Amino acid sequence: MHMSHHHSDVPLPAPLHVPSGNASLLEALWRRRLTLAFTLALCLFVASVYLLCATRIFVAGAKVLLEQNAPAALNDNHNAFVPSETYVQTQADVFLSGPVVSRALDAIDYRALKTFGPAGPDPVDWVRRSGKLKVDVARKSDVVVVSMESPSAEEAALIANAIVKAYIVEQSLRQRSMGGDMAAALRHERGQLSLKRDEALALMQNFRRENDTLSFATDRANIAVERTATLSAAQTTAEMTAMELRAQWEATRKALSNPESLSAFVESQQFRAKDAGDHEYDDLRAQLIQQMLALSTASAMQGPRNSRVQSLEWVVNSLRTRIVEKERAIASAHLVSLSTQLSTAEDNERQLRAAMHAERTHLLALGPQAAEYAKLEAEVSRIQKQCDLLDARLAEVTVNELEAEPMNVQFLEPAHAETKPIKPNKAMVLGAALMVGWILGIGLALGREWRDARLRSPQEIVRFLGTPVLAAVPPINARLSPVARGQILYLDPHSPSAEAYRSIRTSLHLGPCRDARTLLLASPTSGDGKSTTASNLAIAFAQAGCRTLLVDCDMREPVQHLIFETDGSVGISSVVAGEKKLKEALRPTRVPSLYLLPCGPIPASPSELLAGPRFAQLMRSLLGSFDRIVIDSPPLMTVADARILAASADATIMVLRMNQSIRNYSVTSLDSLQKVGANVVGSIANDMIAVRESHYYRGSWQYASSAKRVMASVAGRLSVEQTVVTVGPVGVDLLPTGEAFAVDEPDWSADVRPNKGVERQASAAQNADASPGAGNAHAW
């Protein structure tokens, strides 16, 4: 098919991205339901693949009871603690400390476990920072749950139990270390007292041998002796207090020199009787707990390289440094306090010793020998009491701290291998995928809806174009041939599409353009269904009793002769060029009272032909023979032919395909028609899916045209209408209705020769493009 290379092409503007203001959210989502469904399916598929490929993680937990004031053998209540709110949490940190984790890993031969595959060169640090090992403290409870995550349930239980056992061993070693230091100091003091006691006893024995006849039973002597004994007892107590303080001072000094035992020592000294402890220390530990929990959560969700995770790690390390400094400050302060108390105790001891010396002087005044004996006896008694107290304290330390296991730790429940993994959580993963799919799908659907500039409904036509909608035509079965679709009103008169075309005819018969005889069907772009609408509308007028002519003025891609299956070699171009008579170009159709004027051979300059006076004369001749003339035209956005025709037609109808026609193309097309003075009477919403939802026509969409039924109708009608297909030119043969009429041939006498009218035709085409109403110079 030959196409002209002299098109008056109009550049296509970019689509307007204007959202449909009157379309509800649910309608938009329904239109984009495939996008929404695909997004949901994709998210669920990704989640399913993750669940299939993800490593199963098991967790095992062991329960431990930690008591602050555990029962102690031979307890003298000197070490009673005030309950601490952070004690259990502090011990939870000890579970995660390096010595405990290192001891546990050495006990289980971690190198043979697959849990430590990604651990790297420092498994202890990996366990502490990976979040696999967790120590959970129940609120208002002394029970601690030590849990471990691992790809192997058996390894998880093994590691959790090993951590608890390592903690108990570590606590025992620290207890024995501190108890050993105190016991060594007590034994040293006990040895010194034993030497003094032995010396005093030896002096008493020598004094008795030398003064065996001396009586020491005078009343005054007895009173002095009793007072001396009281002072001796007080001196003994003072000396014991001093020795106890010296032992504590020595233990504190050693704790300061050993960083590993410093934290435990400070915790043991922080809340002793009638001492509320250092509140800043408690606040720092509480902050550390909060930041560690935040770090564990952020690391698990965002990864170790996230900036927020690194910031939290810096805060945790800073808090740990401050806590270590605070512990050293507390221990140093305690050492200073012990030094002060020791100095006071030694002063008290010196004062009692001076009192004893004065009492002895008094005894000497009573009698040198009696006073001397009383002095020796009081000294022996005092030393013996000191020895007894030291023996009791040494026994207590030995039983509670050297020989016994930690009595404040109870292994309540060991960890067991679980059969059900905790990760991945199928319900959580699928739920999250579903939620993400919905959110992402709705976002994508609305985004596509926002970017989509296609007309969706008749309401949008009225809103954006401002033209009334004559009718909404439902979709025609896509399996039908172009012939069947172009004649659906004739072949399937009871279909919803046929009723829609009859509705258009009724609107034109009864509307303001009832007297319009030439009707132009125009559309912005190709594929809007303009030619199908033109053929069916022409059939509708013919069935209403009007002698109707369908003129195919699409001289770029004519299709009407194909729809009606007739010869298209002779047509408008042949008649205008003077090569054929009009009666030779007209073709009757199988529809009574309907005739077709094909395009004919495609001319070299279609716009000049349509704008010329010969085409105007041809149209005036046709108006004398037909009641209605329906004109098919090329797309408005491609060439200027339709605007040239619209300038002279009585009425112009815009055909717009729903969900395909672009809004701003339609607006631009309508504006171009108005500029040439076209009478646009309305629009047709073609391929309107919503119309199929009507239940008026025999069950709505279920009655939509069936290809098999329509083609059967075509075959049946063709079998009885063979005479229509072979009928000759109009005015020569008898028409199907039995009538015969002759078409008036155009009067070419007022026109110059065809080859000299090209300049005037081109000028008319340019005027039609340049100014509104210019085409009316050749009004029909």
Side-chain angles (χ1 to χ4, degrees), residues 269-280:
Q269 297 296 329
Q270 180 71 357
F271 299 100
R272 288 189 178 272
K274 299 181 180 180
D275 185 1
D278 192 314
H279 294 290
E280 183 183 358

Side-chain angles (χ1 to χ4, degrees), residues 747-759:
D747 183 8
W748 307 121
S749 60
D751 192 14
V752 296
R753 292 192 301 268
N755 60 346
K756 293 184 179 180
V758 176
E759 293 182 2

Side-chain angles (χ1 to χ4, degrees), residues 429-441:
V429 171
L430 292 177
L434 191 61
M435 181 176 64
V436 171
W438 271 108
I439 296 174
L440 187 60

Side-chain angles (χ1 to χ4, degrees), residues 304-317:
R305 296 186 177 180
N306 184 269
S307 58
R308 183 169 181 270
V309 174
Q310 294 176 353
S311 177
L312 288 173
E313 288 180 349
W314 182 86
V315 172
V316 168
N317 293 333

